[in-house]
Amino acid sequence: MGSPERHLSYGDYTDFSQGHTGLWDMEDAKPSRGLPSMPLQGVYLSRFDMLLSDDTAWLLRKADMATPLTRDVEQIRCKEVGQCPGIDSPGLGLELCPPVMDGQVEIEERCLEQVQSLVVGEVLKDIETACKLLNIPPDPMEWNPGNVQKWVLWTEHMYRLPQVGRDFQELSGRDLCMMSEEDFRQRSSQCGDVLYAHLDIWKTAAWMKERCCPEDSSVNGTEELCSEVDSCCTGQPIHLWQFLRELLLKPHNYGRSIRWLNKEKGIFKIEDSAHVAKLWGIRKNRPAMNYDKLSRSIRQYYKKGIIRKPEVSQRLVYQFVHPV
DNA sequence: CATGAGGAATTCT
DNA sequence: AGAATTCCTCATG
């Protein structure tokens, strides 16, 4: 297994997005199979608990106990790796003993701080992306039962969890947020805890946003705001071609399902047809969506001059007639 | 067997 | 009304 170019997403820190090894496809979720042995992985994960130290320490104070993000990630990771917290995570040691700063450690800490803020930024961006594609508000408290259902299905498919969407029907976001981890487990013994952890990340992110809204324009906040306005606030339903574009815009999230072959010419390839169809189905509340139907919709675009097959026709490869 | 093209009826907003 | 969905037949590799 190589080390392909990959950007950060909170999935990466939980190892979900790597490899599609189907770790979660089986009930007996055999750990370790296909788990990448990249050294970075361990560092990121084990140190994730420090995410909220220093400049982001305020995040911790949301709940005066353990950091939600940390706890979540650690828990998700445990489930994934099949281990218990603390057993092999050097990062946790920092909670137990005061940091001893020699030069080496200090440098490491610096790097870590940078990684931490990077991670927080990426997590927020990923959530924003998901919101746009799902057309749901970022704050789980505002979700209606339909939003909840979308989020559950989406999370299931993004992280290859066992399918438990039905277990969370008829719940509002408020209900969901009130539920304890135990409640989640009761609804789904398989992955209730993981869903709970994911939700907690969203809750924390919403809380963060609420806290530091105005000055959040640091990187590309305005750009994000604009695209949010034109894609979701116009009220009209999203078009399939727009949806595909948005997926293509986020290669670090969806690159394993759909990616550019030639961005300049607008040529793209659907790598995982079933997955793309599923995501589209979730977006449109069409549980029966499949690639058969999705491709029919794409073919409707031929006549309209929105999408075509490229010069040299290849399976699952299409081309936007008007690339950006 | 999955993909691809396109007709036709239906549904959704 | 327009876009997408659903279902279908036939073709291709």
Side-chain angles (χ1 to χ4, degrees), chain A residues 146-166:
Chain A
N147 296 153
V148 170
Q149 197 60 18
K150 272 188 183 177
W151 177 81
V152 172
L153 287 173
W154 185 268
T155 307
E156 271 172 22
H157 281 89
M158 283 307 291
Y159 302 107
R160 311 272 155 154
L161 303 177
Q163 299 183 6
V164 295
R166 279 114 244 113

Side-chain angles (χ1 to χ4, degrees), chain A residues 268-287:
Chain A
F268 62 95
K269 173 162 187 177
I270 296 173
E271 298 282 2
D272 186 339
S273 57
H275 196 227
V276 171
K278 193 75 209 177
L279 297 180
W280 176 235
I282 293 168
R283 176 63 169 83
K284 292 290 297 289
N285 284 321
R286 291 278 163 176

Side-chain angles (χ1 to χ4, degrees), chain A residues 277-278 281 285-291 293:
Chain A
K278 193 75 209 177
N285 284 321
R286 291 278 163 176
M289 182 52 61
N290 55 27
Y291 181 68
K293 297 172 194 167

Side-chain angles (χ1 to χ4, degrees), chain A residues 19-149:
Chain A
H20 284 150
T21 50
L23 278 173
W24 290 93
D25 293 346
M26 328 252 68
E27 267 93 311
D28 58 10
K30 272 267 183 341
S32 79
R33 185 190 153 253
L35 260 184
S37 54
M38 276 176 275
L40 280 180
Q41 214 85 26
V43 173
Y44 290 161
L45 290 170
S46 60
R47 307 277 180 134
F48 206 99
D49 53 310
M50 296 163 55
L51 237 177
L52 312 157
S53 63
D54 302 336
D55 51 36
T56 43
W58 46 270
L59 209 154
L60 267 181
R61 285 171 221 133
K62 178 197 173 194
D64 39 25
M65 31 184 301
T67 92
L69 271 177
T70 306
R71 187 161 31 82
D72 298 339
V73 170
E74 191 60 34
Q75 175 183 46
I76 291 169
R77 169 175 169 268
C78 283
K79 180 104 183 205
E80 171 108 349
V81 183
Q83 290 170 329
C84 290
I87 284 184
D88 77 326
S89 65
L92 286 176
L94 283 153
E95 282 172 5
L96 306 174
C97 48
V100 186
M101 289 288 193
D102 62 37
Q104 183 70 20
V105 171
E106 205 168 334
I107 290 168
E108 279 179 20
E109 298 296 309
R110 290 267 157 69
C111 291
L112 237 50
E113 275 170 37
Q114 293 180 338
V115 171
Q116 287 161 15
S117 49
L118 236 160
V119 171
V120 171
E122 291 299 322
V123 168
L124 293 178
K125 263 198 243 171
D126 285 354
I127 287 176
E128 216 165 319
T129 302
C131 286
K132 242 165 87 178
L133 289 166
L134 288 174
N135 200 22
I136 62 174
D139 186 354
M141 285 295 277
E142 295 172 25
W143 292 345
N144 61 34
N147 296 153
V148 170
Q149 197 60 18

Side-chain angles (χ1 to χ4, degrees), chain A residues 240 244 270 294-302 307 318:
Chain A
L240 175 57
L244 296 175
I270 296 173
L294 183 145
S295 64
R296 183 69 191 93
S297 295
I298 292 181
R299 271 178 257 125
Q300 306 273 36
Y301 288 146
Y302 295 171
I307 289 177
Y318 298 92

